[in-house]
Amino acid sequence: MKHCKFMLLPLLLATGTTLAETVLLHNITGYGFNTERALVSFSVLAFDDASGKVLARGDNSLRQHYTDARLLDGGGKTLLPGLIDGHGHLLGLGEELSQADLRGQPSEEAAVNVVAEFAHSQPQAAWIKGRGWNQVLWESNQFPTTALLDEAIPDRPVWLTRIDGHAGWANSKALALAGITKDTLDPPGGKIIRDAAGNPTGVLMNNARSYMERVLPANSTADNISALQAAFGQLLSLGITSVHDAGISSELATLYQQLAADGKLPLRIYAMLSSRNADLADWLSGGIWQEPADWLSIRAVKIYGDGALGSRGAALLADYSDQPGHTGLLVTQPDALSQIIKLTIDAGFQANVHAIGDRANRLALDRFEQLATAEQRLAGRHRIEHAQIVAPKDIPRFKTLNVLPSMQAVHATSDKNMAGDRLGVARLRGAYAWRSFIDQGSIIVGGSDFPVELANPFHGLHASVTRQDQQNQPEGGWLPEQRLTLVEALRSFTVDAAYGAFQENAMGTLAPGSWADFILVDQDIFNIDPSQLWQVQAEQTWVHGQLRYQQSAE
């Protein structure tokens, strides 16, 4: 990869412009979609930088129709619709950028060394926080304990979130502040990992994390704005122009509304309210909140079904192959799940259920079938977030019930080394089954689940097409029969992701009348070896007809 630095332009937090004109961007290899979601190509794009909308696309003959337009030379670059991440966590990404980064560390010892160095660089921090550890990558393949953390950082509380966000690792200081002892009960949908004597070892799974979250210092509004700005900057540099923010607090929703009103959102946000918000019913009674220019939409609820596969929290129909007697955890119990889904649907909001295991997916599908009419299902475009492990006989139900699978391709290439251990061979037939969904006519909402995974959408395109990691392993791809074509993969990050947010007529296609959200990239993705897709870089990112990010070579 070439060495470069990126420049976030001064208009990063401004949505207006003072000099309105038609722009004719030419000398490009452009790709978009038509109303039938078929790929179209063009060499000239005309857009209005005042309204922020595409006027036309075609060839050089467009110059005859826009004689007064400002000509902008695309330098022969490839132009794509702005990429949409259909499942991410903006505040979590921004916070991660200011915490200890444990992603990819090969052992518990290596992870502790990173945390210790980070703590040394942050002498003023009352708490030491980090994210990204993954015991599956360690030779021990065992959950960590307080021991090494206590030795390295005995005097300050430490809280480290697992890479999937469904477990956390604490030192003894943090456990004491949270009041977690041998006598603390596991909460419903949560688990305190214990040693043979019943003592907490430092790892809290799923709902047990709430014990720690109660004592963690709350972010100020200024903290949240700073974190969001960091996240905005990174996402724009990756070519992402819209994000479906999966599960936000009431406080964050209010902050988004204020930023939108002040013209300070540099990319588009489709926000899902967290079902854990105490005032959820009040938000739903207020109705859908839609900013006219699509900078912010609040019309969905993120509902939590189960945990994650790596920490054995995904709810399975049968025991884990590598832990007999354990079937995972339901984060929301079935009766409560029914109540929340019913409340959401009846309010006219989209219900988006986190479900990774086959049991959690079946529970969600059953409830969509039982609690919603056919008309409500069709109009609601309800979603199952992740849809990772689905019993093969349940896959057709997604199409029958008009439920959208919202899937993250990079999860397959990240999980391939442990999914077989967790599930055994038979259950892999319904795991990460993108091709099966596409072939039956389901629309896949593509995304990354950042910061669980890296936010780079080209990693997702690469994983979708090759079913390989970035070292081209395994040879031929993992479960290669589930590969997508590049056109299908690009749809999942553009027009199909937009469909999952009721926005397919506004973004994701670059059709006339849609928002002028597009990126210029350094390679033509349709004319390179698929193994190189993950290396593609965004050189410019435009949102609403305005240049938001420019890469500058050193």
Side-chain angles (χ1 to χ4, degrees), residues 133-138 141-144 162 310-312 422:
W133 61 272
N134 184 0
Q135 85 286 355
V136 173
L137 301 179
W138 305 344
N141 202 22
Q142 299 296 315
F143 281 126
R162 192 181 184 276
S311 51
R312 298 187 185 87
R422 297 284 189 273

Side-chain angles (χ1 to χ4, degrees), residues 262-278:
D262 293 342
K264 291 184 177 179
L265 290 178
L267 48 71
R268 306 186 192 280
I269 299 174
Y270 182 77
M272 309 178 204
L273 296 165
S274 170
S275 64
R276 293 169 176 157
N277 294 337

Side-chain angles (χ1 to χ4, degrees), residues 55 92-93 98 112 172 212 356 358-359 387 458 470 475 500 504 544:
L55 300 174
L93 174 61
S98 63
V112 170
S172 294
M212 195 64 62
I356 290 181
D358 50 12
R359 183 185 177 202
F458 293 100
Q470 292 163 12
E475 186 174 348
E504 70 275 13
H544 209 78

Side-chain angles (χ1 to χ4, degrees), residues 166 187-190 206-207 274-276 302-307 313 315 329-341 352-354 359-360 363-364 367:
H166 288 269
N206 292 299
N207 289 356
S274 170
S275 64
R276 293 169 176 157
K302 166 76 176 297
I303 303 168
Y304 304 86
D306 62 349
L329 296 168
L330 290 176
V331 174
T332 304
Q333 297 306 304
D335 287 348
L337 184 67
S338 297
Q339 292 172 2
I340 297 168
I341 291 177
N352 297 342
V353 183
H354 165 113
R359 183 185 177 202
L363 285 171
R367 275 141 190 80

Side-chain angles (χ1 to χ4, degrees), residues 212-501:
M212 195 64 62
E213 290 164 356
R214 293 171 191 162
V215 298
L216 284 167
N219 286 353
S220 67
T221 299
D223 291 334
N224 286 339
I225 290 175
S226 178
L228 289 173
Q229 288 179 345
F232 294 155
Q234 183 175 93
L235 295 171
L236 288 167
S237 75
L238 296 172
I240 295 172
T241 58
S242 179
V243 172
H244 300 181
D245 201 347
I248 66 170
S249 67
S250 299
E251 293 76 17
L252 184 53
T254 300
L255 178 56
Y256 280 158
Q257 289 176 326
Q258 187 61 56
L259 291 174
D262 293 342
K264 291 184 177 179
L265 290 178
L267 48 71
R268 306 186 192 280
I269 299 174
Y270 182 77
M272 309 178 204
L273 296 165
S274 170
S275 64
R276 293 169 176 157
N277 294 337
D279 58 351
L280 177 63
D282 294 335
W283 277 93
L284 296 179
S285 66
I288 292 169
W289 199 93
Q290 181 69 51
E291 196 278 331
D294 287 323
W295 291 106
L296 176 65
S297 177
I298 304 177
R299 62 174 303 168
V301 177
K302 166 76 176 297
I303 303 168
Y304 304 86
D306 62 349
L309 189 65
S311 51
R312 298 187 185 87
L316 302 181
L317 293 167
D319 291 357
Y320 275 79
S321 295
D322 57 359
Q323 189 175 343
H326 179 66
T327 58
L329 296 168
L330 290 176
V331 174
T332 304
Q333 297 306 304
D335 287 348
L337 184 67
S338 297
Q339 292 172 2
I340 297 168
I341 291 177
K342 179 68 171 172
L343 178 70
T344 301
I345 292 174
D346 287 350
F349 277 62
Q350 183 187 52
N352 297 342
V353 183
H354 165 113
I356 290 181
D358 50 12
R359 183 185 177 202
N361 275 278
R362 181 169 294 176
L363 285 171
L365 290 168
D366 288 347
R367 275 141 190 80
F368 284 128
E369 183 172 17
Q370 297 160 6
L371 302 175
T373 66
E375 292 76 14
Q376 285 176 319
R377 291 194 296 268
L378 182 62
R381 300 187 187 181
H382 306 298
R383 295 164 38 170
I384 290 184
E385 304 299 313
H386 309 306
Q388 266 178 239
I389 302 125
V390 183
K393 69 178 184 180
D394 284 335
I395 290 177
R397 299 178 69 198
F398 280 77
K399 179 63 175 174
T400 302
L401 298 173
N402 289 302
V403 174
L404 303 179
S406 172
M407 307 176 79
Q408 299 76 48
V410 283
H411 282 333
T413 49
S414 293
D415 293 355
K416 61 183 172 57
N417 293 328
M418 63 86 178
D421 294 337
R422 297 284 189 273
L423 301 172
V425 175
R427 280 182 288 196
L428 289 178
R429 289 190 299 116
Y432 314 88
W434 317 324
R435 177 86 263 146
S436 297
F437 282 111
I438 290 289
D439 284 349
Q440 70 180 14
S442 290
I443 288 177
I444 293 178
V445 178
S448 69
D449 199 12
F450 67 78
V452 174
E453 304 280 359
L454 296 175
N456 193 324
F458 293 100
H459 293 182
L461 292 174
H462 170 262
S464 297
V465 174
T466 67
R467 302 284 293 202
Q468 293 177 319
D469 60 26
Q470 292 163 12
Q471 288 72 48
N472 300 317
Q473 296 297 317
E475 186 174 348
W478 184 64
L479 306 177
E481 66 276 7
Q482 294 294 343
R483 281 191 295 246
L484 300 184
T485 68
L486 182 53
V487 171
E488 292 166 341
L490 183 61
R491 278 197 202 111
S492 75
F493 279 93
T494 54
V495 63
D496 287 356
Y499 181 87

Side-chain angles (χ1 to χ4, degrees), residues 108 112 133 135 138 141-151 158-160 167-176 179-184 186 191-205 208 211-212 311-312:
E108 181 178 352
V112 170
W133 61 272
Q135 85 286 355
W138 305 344
N141 202 22
Q142 299 296 315
F143 281 126
T145 70
T146 59
L148 292 179
L149 280 181
D150 289 348
E151 183 179 338
V158 178
W159 178 240
L160 309 169
W169 170 22
N171 68 351
S172 294
K173 183 80 171 179
L175 290 177
I180 297 173
T181 68
K182 182 177 182 179
D183 298 323
T184 304
D186 290 345
K191 186 176 182 62
I192 300 170
I193 304 299
R194 306 172 191 269
D195 62 19
N199 296 304
T201 62
V203 172
L204 309 178
M205 288 179 55
Y211 292 138
M212 195 64 62
S311 51
R312 298 187 185 87

